[in-house]
mmCIF file of all heavy atoms in Angstrom:
data_model
loop_
_atom_site.group_PDB
_atom_site.id
_atom_site.type_symbol
_atom_site.label_atom_id
_atom_site.label_comp_id
_atom_site.label_asym_id
_atom_site.label_seq_id
_atom_site.Cartn_x
_atom_site.Cartn_y
_atom_site.Cartn_z
ATOM 1 N N ALA D 8 -1.828 -8.530 -6.297
ATOM 2 C CA ALA D 8 -1.927 -9.831 -6.959
ATOM 3 C C ALA D 8 -1.455 -9.732 -8.408
ATOM 4 O O ALA D 8 -0.721 -10.606 -8.895
ATOM 5 C CB ALA D 8 -3.356 -10.352 -6.903
ATOM 6 N N LEU D 9 -1.849 -8.677 -9.095
ATOM 7 C CA LEU D 9 -1.397 -8.487 -10.477
ATOM 8 C C LEU D 9 0.107 -8.256 -10.547
ATOM 9 O O LEU D 9 0.775 -8.717 -11.473
ATOM 10 C CB LEU D 9 -2.140 -7.312 -11.122
ATOM 11 C CG LEU D 9 -3.617 -7.543 -11.411
ATOM 12 C CD1 LEU D 9 -4.264 -6.263 -11.912
ATOM 13 C CD2 LEU D 9 -3.799 -8.672 -12.408
ATOM 14 N N SER D 10 0.632 -7.574 -9.553
ATOM 15 C CA SER D 10 2.072 -7.355 -9.493
ATOM 16 C C SER D 10 2.809 -8.684 -9.301
ATOM 17 O O SER D 10 3.863 -8.918 -9.889
ATOM 18 C CB SER D 10 2.384 -6.401 -8.348
ATOM 19 O OG SER D 10 3.704 -5.979 -8.376
ATOM 20 N N ASN D 11 2.233 -9.565 -8.488
ATOM 21 C CA ASN D 11 2.831 -10.891 -8.305
ATOM 22 C C ASN D 11 2.808 -11.690 -9.602
ATOM 23 O O ASN D 11 3.778 -12.385 -9.923
ATOM 24 C CB ASN D 11 2.110 -11.663 -7.198
ATOM 25 C CG ASN D 11 2.522 -11.207 -5.825
ATOM 26 O OD1 ASN D 11 3.657 -10.830 -5.600
ATOM 27 N ND2 ASN D 11 1.583 -11.236 -4.900
ATOM 28 N N LEU D 12 1.718 -11.599 -10.336
ATOM 29 C CA LEU D 12 1.655 -12.282 -11.631
ATOM 30 C C LEU D 12 2.692 -11.721 -12.595
ATOM 31 O O LEU D 12 3.319 -12.464 -13.358
ATOM 32 C CB LEU D 12 0.256 -12.152 -12.229
ATOM 33 C CG LEU D 12 -0.834 -12.967 -11.556
ATOM 34 C CD1 LEU D 12 -2.192 -12.645 -12.172
ATOM 35 C CD2 LEU D 12 -0.544 -14.449 -11.662
ATOM 36 N N SER D 13 2.874 -10.417 -12.558
ATOM 37 C CA SER D 13 3.897 -9.784 -13.394
ATOM 38 C C SER D 13 5.286 -10.289 -13.015
ATOM 39 O O SER D 13 6.129 -10.539 -13.888
ATOM 40 C CB SER D 13 3.821 -8.269 -13.238
ATOM 41 O OG SER D 13 4.822 -7.642 -13.985
ATOM 42 N N ASN D 14 5.524 -10.451 -11.705
ATOM 43 C CA ASN D 14 6.819 -10.980 -11.263
ATOM 44 C C ASN D 14 7.049 -12.395 -11.768
ATOM 45 O O ASN D 14 8.169 -12.738 -12.170
ATOM 46 C CB ASN D 14 6.919 -10.943 -9.743
ATOM 47 C CG ASN D 14 7.157 -9.559 -9.220
ATOM 48 O OD1 ASN D 14 7.659 -8.697 -9.925
ATOM 49 N ND2 ASN D 14 6.786 -9.329 -7.996
ATOM 50 N N LEU D 15 6.023 -13.206 -11.750
ATOM 51 C CA LEU D 15 6.160 -14.570 -12.273
ATOM 52 C C LEU D 15 6.481 -14.546 -13.769
ATOM 53 O O LEU D 15 7.310 -15.319 -14.244
ATOM 54 C CB LEU D 15 4.881 -15.366 -12.012
ATOM 55 C CG LEU D 15 4.623 -15.751 -10.572
ATOM 56 C CD1 LEU D 15 3.261 -16.421 -10.442
ATOM 57 C CD2 LEU D 15 5.715 -16.665 -10.054
ATOM 58 N N SER D 16 5.835 -13.652 -14.480
ATOM 59 C CA SER D 16 6.102 -13.514 -15.907
ATOM 60 C C SER D 16 7.539 -13.041 -16.148
ATOM 61 O O SER D 16 8.227 -13.549 -17.041
ATOM 62 C CB SER D 16 5.105 -12.527 -16.521
ATOM 63 O OG SER D 16 5.404 -12.307 -17.874
ATOM 64 N N ASN D 17 7.982 -12.087 -15.349
ATOM 65 C CA ASN D 17 9.358 -11.590 -15.476
ATOM 66 C C ASN D 17 10.368 -12.693 -15.163
ATOM 67 O O ASN D 17 11.406 -12.801 -15.829
ATOM 68 C CB ASN D 17 9.592 -10.409 -14.543
ATOM 69 C CG ASN D 17 8.820 -9.188 -14.951
ATOM 70 O OD1 ASN D 17 8.445 -9.038 -16.107
ATOM 71 N ND2 ASN D 17 8.568 -8.313 -14.002
ATOM 72 N N LEU D 18 10.069 -13.492 -14.155
ATOM 73 C CA LEU D 18 10.947 -14.606 -13.805
ATOM 74 C C LEU D 18 11.031 -15.605 -14.952
ATOM 75 O O LEU D 18 12.115 -16.073 -15.315
ATOM 76 C CB LEU D 18 10.451 -15.293 -12.533
ATOM 77 C CG LEU D 18 11.233 -16.514 -12.073
ATOM 78 C CD1 LEU D 18 12.674 -16.141 -11.769
ATOM 79 C CD2 LEU D 18 10.565 -17.126 -10.855
ATOM 80 N N GLN D 19 9.894 -15.897 -15.537
ATOM 81 C CA GLN D 19 9.864 -16.829 -16.659
ATOM 82 C C GLN D 19 10.659 -16.280 -17.851
ATOM 83 O O GLN D 19 11.423 -17.007 -18.490
ATOM 84 C CB GLN D 19 8.421 -17.078 -17.054
ATOM 85 C CG GLN D 19 8.167 -18.402 -17.676
ATOM 86 C CD GLN D 19 6.676 -18.635 -17.851
ATOM 87 O OE1 GLN D 19 5.906 -17.701 -18.041
ATOM 88 N NE2 GLN D 19 6.269 -19.882 -17.804
ATOM 89 N N LEU D 20 10.482 -15.007 -18.137
ATOM 90 C CA LEU D 20 11.224 -14.372 -19.222
ATOM 91 C C LEU D 20 12.726 -14.434 -18.966
ATOM 92 O O LEU D 20 13.505 -14.777 -19.861
ATOM 93 C CB LEU D 20 10.781 -12.914 -19.382
ATOM 94 C CG LEU D 20 11.606 -12.069 -20.358
ATOM 95 C CD1 LEU D 20 11.447 -12.585 -21.780
ATOM 96 C CD2 LEU D 20 11.199 -10.610 -20.264
ATOM 97 N N THR D 21 13.131 -14.132 -17.744
ATOM 98 C CA THR D 21 14.552 -14.147 -17.398
ATOM 99 C C THR D 21 15.127 -15.553 -17.530
ATOM 100 O O THR D 21 16.229 -15.736 -18.071
ATOM 101 C CB THR D 21 14.758 -13.619 -15.962
ATOM 102 O OG1 THR D 21 14.194 -12.306 -15.874
ATOM 103 C CG2 THR D 21 16.223 -13.557 -15.601
ATOM 104 N N ARG D 22 14.391 -16.545 -17.055
ATOM 105 C CA ARG D 22 14.863 -17.931 -17.163
ATOM 106 C C ARG D 22 15.003 -18.365 -18.616
ATOM 107 O O ARG D 22 15.991 -19.006 -18.988
ATOM 108 C CB ARG D 22 13.916 -18.863 -16.426
ATOM 109 C CG ARG D 22 14.007 -18.714 -14.914
ATOM 110 C CD ARG D 22 13.026 -19.582 -14.195
ATOM 111 N NE ARG D 22 13.342 -20.980 -14.444
ATOM 112 C CZ ARG D 22 12.497 -21.975 -14.253
ATOM 113 N NH1 ARG D 22 11.286 -21.722 -13.810
ATOM 114 N NH2 ARG D 22 12.853 -23.212 -14.486
ATOM 115 N N ARG D 23 14.025 -18.011 -19.447
ATOM 116 C CA ARG D 23 14.096 -18.385 -20.867
ATOM 117 C C ARG D 23 15.246 -17.672 -21.563
ATOM 118 O O ARG D 23 15.961 -18.270 -22.372
ATOM 119 C CB ARG D 23 12.788 -18.059 -21.562
ATOM 120 C CG ARG D 23 11.675 -18.993 -21.191
ATOM 121 C CD ARG D 23 10.406 -18.636 -21.905
ATOM 122 N NE ARG D 23 9.336 -19.535 -21.497
ATOM 123 C CZ ARG D 23 8.125 -19.479 -21.971
ATOM 124 N NH1 ARG D 23 7.794 -18.564 -22.861
ATOM 125 N NH2 ARG D 23 7.214 -20.333 -21.557
ATOM 126 N N ALA D 24 15.410 -16.399 -21.265
ATOM 127 C CA ALA D 24 16.518 -15.647 -21.877
ATOM 128 C C ALA D 24 17.855 -16.218 -21.422
ATOM 129 O O ALA D 24 18.794 -16.314 -22.220
ATOM 130 C CB ALA D 24 16.408 -14.167 -21.509
ATOM 131 N N TRP D 25 17.950 -16.602 -20.154
ATOM 132 C CA TRP D 25 19.186 -17.155 -19.604
ATOM 133 C C TRP D 25 19.579 -18.440 -20.337
ATOM 134 O O TRP D 25 20.745 -18.666 -20.615
ATOM 135 C CB TRP D 25 18.999 -17.426 -18.119
ATOM 136 C CG TRP D 25 20.243 -17.892 -17.421
ATOM 137 C CD1 TRP D 25 20.669 -19.175 -17.284
ATOM 138 C CD2 TRP D 25 21.226 -17.075 -16.789
ATOM 139 N NE1 TRP D 25 21.842 -19.220 -16.591
ATOM 140 C CE2 TRP D 25 22.213 -17.933 -16.271
ATOM 141 C CE3 TRP D 25 21.363 -15.700 -16.605
ATOM 142 C CZ2 TRP D 25 23.310 -17.455 -15.572
ATOM 143 C CZ3 TRP D 25 22.464 -15.246 -15.901
ATOM 144 C CH2 TRP D 25 23.421 -16.112 -15.407
ATOM 145 N N ARG D 26 18.585 -19.263 -20.639
ATOM 146 C CA ARG D 26 18.870 -20.524 -21.333
ATOM 147 C C ARG D 26 19.396 -20.293 -22.744
ATOM 148 O O ARG D 26 20.236 -21.050 -23.227
ATOM 149 C CB ARG D 26 17.607 -21.377 -21.402
ATOM 150 C CG ARG D 26 17.220 -21.964 -20.081
ATOM 151 C CD ARG D 26 15.985 -22.808 -20.212
ATOM 152 N NE ARG D 26 15.517 -23.219 -18.901
ATOM 153 C CZ ARG D 26 14.273 -23.442 -18.608
ATOM 154 N NH1 ARG D 26 13.335 -23.294 -19.531
ATOM 155 N NH2 ARG D 26 13.925 -23.820 -17.395
ATOM 156 N N VAL D 27 18.899 -19.259 -23.398
ATOM 157 C CA VAL D 27 19.320 -18.968 -24.776
ATOM 158 C C VAL D 27 20.650 -18.221 -24.786
ATOM 159 O O VAL D 27 21.556 -18.561 -25.540
ATOM 160 C CB VAL D 27 18.236 -18.144 -25.505
ATOM 161 C CG1 VAL D 27 18.714 -17.705 -26.876
ATOM 162 C CG2 VAL D 27 16.958 -18.954 -25.621
ATOM 163 N N ASP D 28 20.742 -17.198 -23.930
ATOM 164 C CA ASP D 28 21.942 -16.368 -23.888
ATOM 165 C C ASP D 28 22.110 -15.842 -22.463
ATOM 166 O O ASP D 28 21.295 -15.060 -21.982
ATOM 167 C CB ASP D 28 21.781 -15.201 -24.876
ATOM 168 C CG ASP D 28 22.983 -14.274 -24.932
ATOM 169 O OD1 ASP D 28 23.998 -14.576 -24.280
ATOM 170 O OD2 ASP D 28 22.884 -13.257 -25.631
ATOM 171 N N ARG D 29 23.151 -16.269 -21.797
ATOM 172 C CA ARG D 29 23.335 -15.889 -20.394
ATOM 173 C C ARG D 29 23.487 -14.390 -20.208
ATOM 174 O O ARG D 29 23.051 -13.836 -19.209
ATOM 175 C CB ARG D 29 24.537 -16.611 -19.803
ATOM 176 C CG ARG D 29 24.233 -18.066 -19.607
ATOM 177 C CD ARG D 29 25.279 -18.742 -18.798
ATOM 178 N NE ARG D 29 24.869 -20.123 -18.634
ATOM 179 C CZ ARG D 29 25.042 -20.799 -17.531
ATOM 180 N NH1 ARG D 29 25.625 -20.242 -16.515
ATOM 181 N NH2 ARG D 29 24.635 -22.032 -17.463
ATOM 182 N N ARG D 30 24.073 -13.727 -21.155
ATOM 183 C CA ARG D 30 24.216 -12.271 -21.062
ATOM 184 C C ARG D 30 22.838 -11.604 -21.080
ATOM 185 O O ARG D 30 22.568 -10.696 -20.297
ATOM 186 C CB ARG D 30 25.072 -11.731 -22.185
ATOM 187 C CG ARG D 30 25.205 -10.223 -22.132
ATOM 188 C CD ARG D 30 26.041 -9.717 -23.265
ATOM 189 N NE ARG D 30 27.415 -9.690 -22.792
ATOM 190 C CZ ARG D 30 28.442 -9.376 -23.536
ATOM 191 N NH1 ARG D 30 28.275 -9.107 -24.811
ATOM 192 N NH2 ARG D 30 29.654 -9.345 -23.038
ATOM 193 N N ALA D 31 21.972 -12.061 -21.968
ATOM 194 C CA ALA D 31 20.618 -11.503 -22.052
ATOM 195 C C ALA D 31 19.855 -11.760 -20.751
ATOM 196 O O ALA D 31 19.151 -10.881 -20.245
ATOM 197 C CB ALA D 31 19.859 -12.106 -23.223
ATOM 198 N N GLY D 32 19.996 -12.953 -20.199
ATOM 199 C CA GLY D 32 19.357 -13.253 -18.924
ATOM 200 C C GLY D 32 19.915 -12.407 -17.800
ATOM 201 O O GLY D 32 19.174 -11.931 -16.938
ATOM 202 N N GLY D 33 21.212 -12.192 -17.831
ATOM 203 C CA GLY D 33 21.846 -11.356 -16.808
ATOM 204 C C GLY D 33 21.397 -9.909 -16.872
ATOM 205 O O GLY D 33 21.251 -9.248 -15.839
ATOM 206 N N VAL D 34 21.151 -9.427 -18.071
ATOM 207 C CA VAL D 34 20.685 -8.052 -18.236
ATOM 208 C C VAL D 34 19.296 -7.873 -17.624
ATOM 209 O O VAL D 34 18.961 -6.805 -17.121
ATOM 210 C CB VAL D 34 20.687 -7.661 -19.738
ATOM 211 C CG1 VAL D 34 19.937 -6.383 -19.985
ATOM 212 C CG2 VAL D 34 22.113 -7.557 -20.243
ATOM 213 N N LEU D 35 18.499 -8.925 -17.630
ATOM 214 C CA LEU D 35 17.146 -8.847 -17.083
ATOM 215 C C LEU D 35 17.100 -8.976 -15.559
ATOM 216 O O LEU D 35 16.072 -8.666 -14.950
ATOM 217 C CB LEU D 35 16.261 -9.925 -17.714
ATOM 218 C CG LEU D 35 15.905 -9.711 -19.172
ATOM 219 C CD1 LEU D 35 15.233 -10.956 -19.740
ATOM 220 C CD2 LEU D 35 14.999 -8.503 -19.329
ATOM 221 N N LEU D 36 18.158 -9.413 -14.925
ATOM 222 C CA LEU D 36 18.144 -9.619 -13.475
ATOM 223 C C LEU D 36 17.840 -8.348 -12.678
ATOM 224 O O LEU D 36 17.048 -8.401 -11.734
ATOM 225 C CB LEU D 36 19.455 -10.247 -13.018
ATOM 226 C CG LEU D 36 19.624 -11.723 -13.374
ATOM 227 C CD1 LEU D 36 21.025 -12.202 -12.993
ATOM 228 C CD2 LEU D 36 18.564 -12.574 -12.721
ATOM 229 N N PRO D 37 18.426 -7.197 -13.006
ATOM 230 C CA PRO D 37 18.072 -5.985 -12.244
ATOM 231 C C PRO D 37 16.585 -5.628 -12.368
ATOM 232 O O PRO D 37 15.972 -5.185 -11.391
ATOM 233 C CB PRO D 37 18.948 -4.890 -12.859
ATOM 234 C CG PRO D 37 20.084 -5.613 -13.472
ATOM 235 C CD PRO D 37 19.531 -6.923 -13.930
ATOM 236 N N TYR D 38 16.010 -5.825 -13.543
ATOM 237 C CA TYR D 38 14.592 -5.551 -13.732
ATOM 238 C C TYR D 38 13.758 -6.484 -12.871
ATOM 239 O O TYR D 38 12.791 -6.059 -12.221
ATOM 240 C CB TYR D 38 14.218 -5.697 -15.205
ATOM 241 C CG TYR D 38 12.756 -5.464 -15.481
ATOM 242 C CD1 TYR D 38 12.205 -4.203 -15.345
ATOM 243 C CD2 TYR D 38 11.929 -6.507 -15.872
ATOM 244 C CE1 TYR D 38 10.858 -3.986 -15.584
ATOM 245 C CE2 TYR D 38 10.592 -6.302 -16.113
ATOM 246 C CZ TYR D 38 10.059 -5.035 -15.969
ATOM 247 O OH TYR D 38 8.728 -4.829 -16.202
ATOM 248 N N LEU D 39 14.142 -7.742 -12.822
ATOM 249 C CA LEU D 39 13.446 -8.721 -11.995
ATOM 250 C C LEU D 39 13.531 -8.316 -10.520
ATOM 251 O O LEU D 39 12.535 -8.355 -9.796
ATOM 252 C CB LEU D 39 14.041 -10.111 -12.214
ATOM 253 C CG LEU D 39 13.425 -11.271 -11.463
ATOM 254 C CD1 LEU D 39 11.980 -11.471 -11.885
ATOM 255 C CD2 LEU D 39 14.226 -12.532 -11.699
ATOM 256 N N GLY D 40 14.693 -7.915 -10.091
ATOM 257 C CA GLY D 40 14.868 -7.471 -8.706
ATOM 258 C C GLY D 40 14.061 -6.225 -8.389
ATOM 259 O O GLY D 40 13.459 -6.108 -7.317
ATOM 260 N N TRP D 41 14.032 -5.286 -9.317
ATOM 261 C CA TRP D 41 13.302 -4.045 -9.117
ATOM 262 C C TRP D 41 11.800 -4.302 -9.002
ATOM 263 O O TRP D 41 11.147 -3.767 -8.111
ATOM 264 C CB TRP D 41 13.603 -3.088 -10.258
ATOM 265 C CG TRP D 41 12.840 -1.811 -10.188
ATOM 266 C CD1 TRP D 41 11.883 -1.388 -11.037
ATOM 267 C CD2 TRP D 41 12.961 -0.782 -9.200
ATOM 268 N NE1 TRP D 41 11.406 -0.166 -10.648
ATOM 269 C CE2 TRP D 41 12.046 0.232 -9.518
ATOM 270 C CE3 TRP D 41 13.757 -0.637 -8.058
ATOM 271 C CZ2 TRP D 41 11.905 1.375 -8.749
ATOM 272 C CZ3 TRP D 41 13.606 0.518 -7.298
ATOM 273 C CH2 TRP D 41 12.694 1.495 -7.645
#
Side-chain angles (χ1 to χ4, degrees):
L9 290 174
S10 190
N11 282 326
L12 288 175
S13 178
N14 285 337
L15 289 175
S16 176
N17 292 337
L18 178 61
Q19 208 172 30
L20 172 66
T21 303
R22 289 177 64 198
R23 287 180 182 181
W25 185 271
R26 288 181 188 150
V27 174
D28 181 5
R29 288 191 178 218
R30 178 181 269 176
V34 167
L35 289 170
L36 287 174
Y38 179 69
L39 181 63
W41 177 247

